[in-house]
Amino acid sequence: MYGQTSRSKSVCVASAEQTWGRKACTAGFTAAACAMLTGVVHPSVVLAIPQTSTCATEVCDGKDYSNRDLRKEFYTKGSMKYANFSNSNLENVSLFGANLTGANLSNANFTNADLGQGNLTGADLRGAQLSGAIVSSAKFDKALIEGADFTDVIIRKDINDELCAVASGTNPITGVDTRDSLLCF
């Protein structure tokens, strides 16, 4: 059934209230949520399409993204080998599965960013802020991390040990010692 009548919207709201309570409904529901609750699908509703970035389908290797506020962007599964993100703000940005081999990420802000499954082999992370970032299964082979702040970053023990072996310096913005932020003992 296509289209969403006022009756189907009412059913959606009633179903949502019953399932999650009134607060959920006052926050609002997307067309996709209503479609799942009621079985009424509007033609413009697209379900279960993974979000990928332009850099996943176009070549972004070597591009210059330096000195920018990129908080509204996403680079999921993108290839940005040897790209320059130095001094940029990527707070809360998704770089999940991104290939950042050899990228210049120095002094960039990755606070709460998603770098999970990313390839940061040979990347320059000197002075970067990674507080609260997700780095699960990311590769940091030969990455430069002097002065990087890894506060509240959960890192697999074997990767943490490798980073601790080369960790040095203090982050110029946060004042946090790299070894302390990695809990190197």
Side-chain angles (χ1 to χ4, degrees):
M1 178 190 300
Y2 290 107
Q4 189 156 349
T5 65
S6 60
R7 182 184 181 289
S8 63
K9 287 180 185 176
S10 297
V11 170
C12 177
V13 171
S15 298
E17 283 181 359
Q18 185 177 7
T19 306
W20 294 290
R22 188 167 251 331
K23 285 185 181 178
C25 288
T26 57
F29 272 85
T30 65
C34 288
M36 289 188 303
L37 287 169
T38 64
V40 177
V41 179
H42 190 273
S44 65
V45 174
V46 179
L47 303 173
I49 302 298
Q51 186 179 32
T52 59
S53 65
T54 302
C55 294
T57 56
E58 297 176 15
V59 177
C60 294
D61 297 343
K63 287 199 174 182
D64 185 5
Y65 299 98
S66 63
N67 301 302
R68 296 186 194 171
D69 184 351
L70 300 169
R71 290 178 292 175
K72 293 185 180 182
E73 303 298 325
F74 65 96
Y75 300 94
T76 305
K77 299 180 182 178
S79 180
M80 292 147 304
K81 295 182 280 188
Y82 305 99
N84 184 0
F85 285 93
S86 63
N87 301 300
S88 288
N89 188 354
L90 292 117
E91 186 175 357
N92 297 309
V93 170
S94 175
L95 293 120
F96 177 83
N99 187 347
L100 294 160
T101 299
N104 182 353
L105 311 173
S106 62
N107 300 307
N109 181 3
F110 291 100
T111 301
N112 298 317
D114 185 355
L115 295 159
Q117 297 184 17
N119 185 351
L120 291 100
T121 300
D124 183 352
L125 287 157
R126 290 178 291 186
Q129 300 169 58
L130 293 116
S131 300
I134 298 169
V135 298
S136 55
S137 298
K139 295 179 186 178
F140 288 93
D141 301 334
K142 299 180 183 175
L144 304 173
I145 62 165
E146 180 183 346
D149 183 351
F150 288 88
T151 301
D152 296 328
V153 175
I154 299 171
I155 303 173
R156 218 172 60 208
K157 184 175 178 357
D158 59 322
I159 294 171
N160 197 76
D161 290 346
E162 290 173 13
L163 293 174
C164 284
V166 297
S168 65
T170 301
N171 186 276
I173 303 297
T174 66
V176 174
D177 181 81
T178 301
R179 292 186 59 76
D180 289 345
S181 69
L182 286 166
L183 303 175
C184 300
F185 301 109

